[in-house]
Amino acid sequence: NSDGTSPIRSIFNLPTSPARDLTTVESGQMVVNKERAWDTLMLSVFMQLQTSFYDALMRRLHDLGGGGDKQTFIISCLATHSHCTMVQTPVASAGRLLDGQFCGRAMIQHDNSGNVVFVHANL
């Protein structure tokens, strides 16, 4: 439902309007303290094991990035009231010019300070 009463909000007692909209989670890198985030990790795994049920519900939550297995972690953070930080610098592209056209070959990810920390290169 567009009024914030979707079933997944009720199941996990999520706020009807989060503090900020979330984009799709790009999980090429994650830093997780398993001791502190164990409940979050287990809920995320549970949702992934039940993907046919949860994915359809998550896709309705555009303000939480929609569906997909990568979204289960951020929704689990919210549901378990865990501290979770998303890097604000969007994923960038790297590549080269071929015959005057940009040909992207890599995704570049950043840390919280905007420094490049991960390059996922495609051949």
Side-chain angles (χ1 to χ4, degrees):
N1 299 342
S2 60
D3 64 355
T5 59
S6 72
I8 202 161
R9 288 196 192 281
S10 299
I11 291 168
F12 296 119
N13 196 27
L14 299 177
T16 55
S17 57
R20 63 183 165 93
D21 285 354
L22 300 172
T23 58
T24 299
V25 174
E26 185 50 62
S27 60
Q29 61 186 9
M30 291 177 69
V31 177
V32 178
N33 180 326
K34 291 188 284 187
E35 185 176 340
R36 291 175 52 197
W38 190 251
D39 291 345
T40 300
L41 289 169
M42 290 299 99
L43 180 54
S44 179
V45 168
F46 175 79
M47 291 173 69
Q48 291 176 35
L49 292 172
Q50 306 295 324
T51 191
S52 61
F53 177 75
Y54 287 106
D55 191 58
L57 296 177
M58 287 188 300
R59 290 191 183 282
R60 298 181 191 175
L61 299 176
H62 300 291
D63 61 320
L64 295 178
D69 61 339
K70 295 183 283 186
Q71 296 308 112
T72 62
F73 187 76
I74 192 67
I75 290 174
S76 296
C77 279
L78 292 170
T80 59
H81 306 286
S82 299
H83 176 73
C84 183
T85 300
M86 303 272 293
V87 174
Q88 297 302 304
T89 305
V91 174
S93 293
R96 62 183 182 164
L97 290 176
L98 293 174
D99 298 323
Q101 291 190 335
F102 177 76
C103 183
R105 297 285 187 209
M107 293 187 321
I108 300 172
Q109 295 176 301
H110 305 82
D111 64 14
N112 286 333
S113 299
N115 300 308
V116 173
V117 292
F118 185 79
V119 176
H120 179 90
N122 299 307
L123 298 175

